[in-house]
Every structure is written in structure tokens, then in C-alpha cells.
Amino acid sequence: MANEAPVAWVTGGTGGIGSAICRALAKEGYQVVAGYHNPEKAKDWLASQQAEGFDNIALSGIDLTDYDDCVAGVKEIRNQFGPISVLVNCAGITRDGTMKKMTSDQWHEVIDTNLNSVFNTCRGVIEDMLEQGYGRIVNISSINGRKGQFGQANYAAAKAGMHGLTMSLAQETATKGITVNTLSPGYIATDMIMKIPEKVRETIREGIPVKRYGTPEEIARAVVFLADKESGFITGANLDINGGQFMG
Ligand code: CAA
């Protein structure tokens, strides 16, 4: 049965940045639904959140690349917890490679997971948000969607595309109590950046004006801000959080 707490759905909720977002929103009193991809990892992840007292976080194993699964999953979340007020699109993967080496599979996997998923989730929640006359959508993009990145044609295209969706949906929903924004993290200390070869990673870190990677918590606090009821005049915006690495 639905409880009183507003519902926040965080895709990629069990990942590095996603975990911090789930915990920050849970601390704000949301009923958080964390999306996951790997069921075994998700089970352990939830147990550790609960061990730390986060009993308002639940799991949802929706396949974000499958439109029908997203629509059905949103319905399940609504039935279990109530309509979704906050959607954070944080699920994302990398399949880095220069164009001459990138396979068609690497291209499509990234576009499906990082961009098509955002259509699927937004389409899934938008009717309920319109009906409620309220909603907050935060799309977690990337510095590399803003500036491009050697070896990331697929990822940069998906992340740049995300902001096009943000600006369009923001216009469609501006008079309906719904805001849609993009947040573009720079290099954040998570497993994702540990996949970059160490030498390349060190060069990147040196190029960040604050001379360090960001923390997941530094992204989560901005999500809480954008998701707040009082942030209703911020829509269609992109917020860069990158230690000064790109100032667009
Ligand atoms: N700019 C210019 N030239 C570069 C370069 C760069 N940034 N990086 C590598 N090169 C050069 C190399 O020196 C090499 O030159 P030569 O052929 O003359 O020797 C050539 O390009 C080939 O490079 P590699 O040997 O590195 O090629 P590779 O196929 O083995 O690796 C790569 C390519 C996978 C893209 C690797 O360079 C890499 O992992 N780069 C990091 C990509 C990156 O930043 N990913 C971000 C992941 S984190 C994330 O995505 C989160 C987020 O939102 C920020």
C-alpha cells in the first residue's frame, strides 16, 4: 500500500554516484526506489544500506533499455509506493574506444543504456507527473557530453543527446509544475573511472583545476537541490560539477 512519503526513482541507484543520490534523497524523507542491473550486487547493496538504517530504500530491476518493461515497472512502483515525484536518470555505462576500433555493438549498447533509457523512463513517468501537476526530473549527463572526449564518441553522443531531451521536455512541462534539468558531473571517484588506464587517468586528474576527482556526495547534494519543491524556477538548465575542468 502507498505510504505518505514522496517517491523518488533513481536509475543506476546501486552504482557509485547512484548510491550517494539514493542515500541523500532517503535522508530528505523520500521513499527511494533504486534501479539496478545486477541482482546479486543489488541484494548485497540493499542489505548494507539497511544495516546503516536506510529502511526507506527499495529496489527495482526494470530493464531500462526495454520500453514495455519501463512502463510496466513504473506501474508496479506506483502500486507499491505511490506515483513517482522525482526521477533521477543515473544509469550509465562506458564502452570506450577510438572510432576506428569501436564496434557497432559498443555504439548501440551505450546509446541504448545511456540515452534510449532516458526516453523510456521519462515516457513512463510523465503521465503521472502531469496528472499530479508536479514532478522533478534530473538527468545525470557528463562533462564529456559537453566537450567530447577522445575514445568516447558513443558516450559523448548519448550524454549530449540527454540534454536535448531535457531542454525539450522542460519546455513541454514548464506550465505543469514539472522541472527537467541536466547535471553534468566531471570525473568522480567511482569504479567507472577506475576502468580508464592508469596513465591516462593520471593525465586527466592533472588537468582538473582543483587537482582531484569529485566525490559522489558532491553530485548527490546538487540532485537534492534540483529535486526540491523550492527549485521550481530552474528548468531546462545544465549544471556543471567538474572541478573547473570545463567551463562552457
Ligand atoms: N588526446 C589525444 N591523443 C590521445 C589521447 C587524448 N586524450 N589519448 C590517447 N591518445 C593517443 C595515444 O597517445 C596514441 O597515440 P599513438 O598512436 O601516436 O601512439 C593513440 O591516441 C591511441 O591511443 P591508445 O593507445 O590509448 O588507444 P587505445 O585504443 O588503446 O585506447 C582509449 C583508447 C580506450 C580511448 C583510452 O585512451 C582511454 O581509455 N581513454 C580515456 C577515455 C575516457 O576519458 N573515458 C572516460 C571514462 S569515465 C566516464 O565516462 C565518466 C564521465 O562521465 C566523466
Side-chain angles (χ1 to χ4, degrees):
M1 206 179 86
N3 65 20
E4 294 298 308
V7 177
W9 178 25
V10 182
T11 73
T14 61
I17 295 177
S19 295
I21 294 172
C22 287
R23 293 157 66 96
L25 289 171
K27 279 184 195 159
E28 291 294 309
Y30 291 92
Q31 169 59 55
V32 174
V33 180
Y36 65 86
H37 186 59
N38 176 337
E40 282 310 305
K41 179 185 157 195
K43 230 172 75 194
D44 293 346
W45 177 87
L46 185 63
S48 70
Q49 305 310 313
Q50 288 174 339
E52 288 184 56
F54 289 97
D55 45 20
N56 54 344
I57 299 180
L59 289 172
S60 166
I62 296 169
D63 178 358
L64 302 173
T65 64
D66 182 324
Y67 174 76
D68 293 331
D69 204 37
C70 269
V71 172
V74 167
K75 215 182 218 176
E76 262 174 47
I77 294 172
R78 186 201 306 123
N79 290 343
Q80 198 176 350
F81 300 110
I84 292 165
S85 303
V86 174
L87 165 64
V88 184
N89 280 304
C90 187
I93 58 169
T94 53
R95 297 288 182 267
D96 293 354
T98 49
M99 185 61 80
K100 69 178 181 196
K101 291 184 190 166
M102 189 177 288
T103 64
S104 171
D105 282 352
Q106 285 176 314
W107 171 266
H108 286 287
E109 265 185 86
V110 169
I111 298 294
D112 274 350
T113 306
N114 297 11
L115 180 61
N116 291 338
S117 65
V118 180
F119 166 73
N120 293 338
T121 59
C122 289
R123 185 67 188 87
V125 303
I126 201 66
E127 288 178 28
D128 275 356
M129 286 187 176
L130 288 168
E131 197 169 307
Q132 293 176 84
Y134 183 80
R136 296 280 181 264
I137 297 176
V138 184
N139 292 324
I140 307 297
S141 178
S142 165
I143 184 176
N144 294 340
R146 305 265 293 136
K147 66 167 189 55
Q149 171 62 34
F150 188 101
Q152 282 203 310
N154 48 4
Y155 186 86
K159 294 298 192 180
M162 208 182 226
H163 190 52
L165 185 152
T166 290
M167 292 188 290
S168 303
L169 185 55
Q171 290 176 34
E172 293 176 21
T173 57
T175 59
K176 314 288 183 195
I178 301 168
T179 67
V180 190
N181 290 293
T182 298
L183 198 162
S184 297
Y187 284 74
I188 307 300
T190 64
D191 289 349
M192 187 181 264
I193 71 162
M194 294 315 283
K195 286 188 205 153
I196 304 171
E198 194 180 343
K199 224 174 112 204
V200 178
R201 203 170 60 226
E202 197 41 40
T203 310
I204 291 171
R205 198 185 62 79
E206 275 300 310
I208 302 172
V210 303
K211 301 289 177 206
R212 67 170 175 87
Y213 303 124
T215 67
E217 289 71 25
E218 286 172 317
I219 302 305
R221 67 196 300 269
V223 173
V224 167
F225 169 69
L226 292 172
D228 197 276
K229 269 200 180 75
E230 303 300 320
S231 298
F233 203 57
I234 308 173
T235 196
N238 173 66
L239 178 56
D240 291 312
I241 304 183
N242 60 34
Q245 193 185 353
F246 178 78
M247 306 177 187

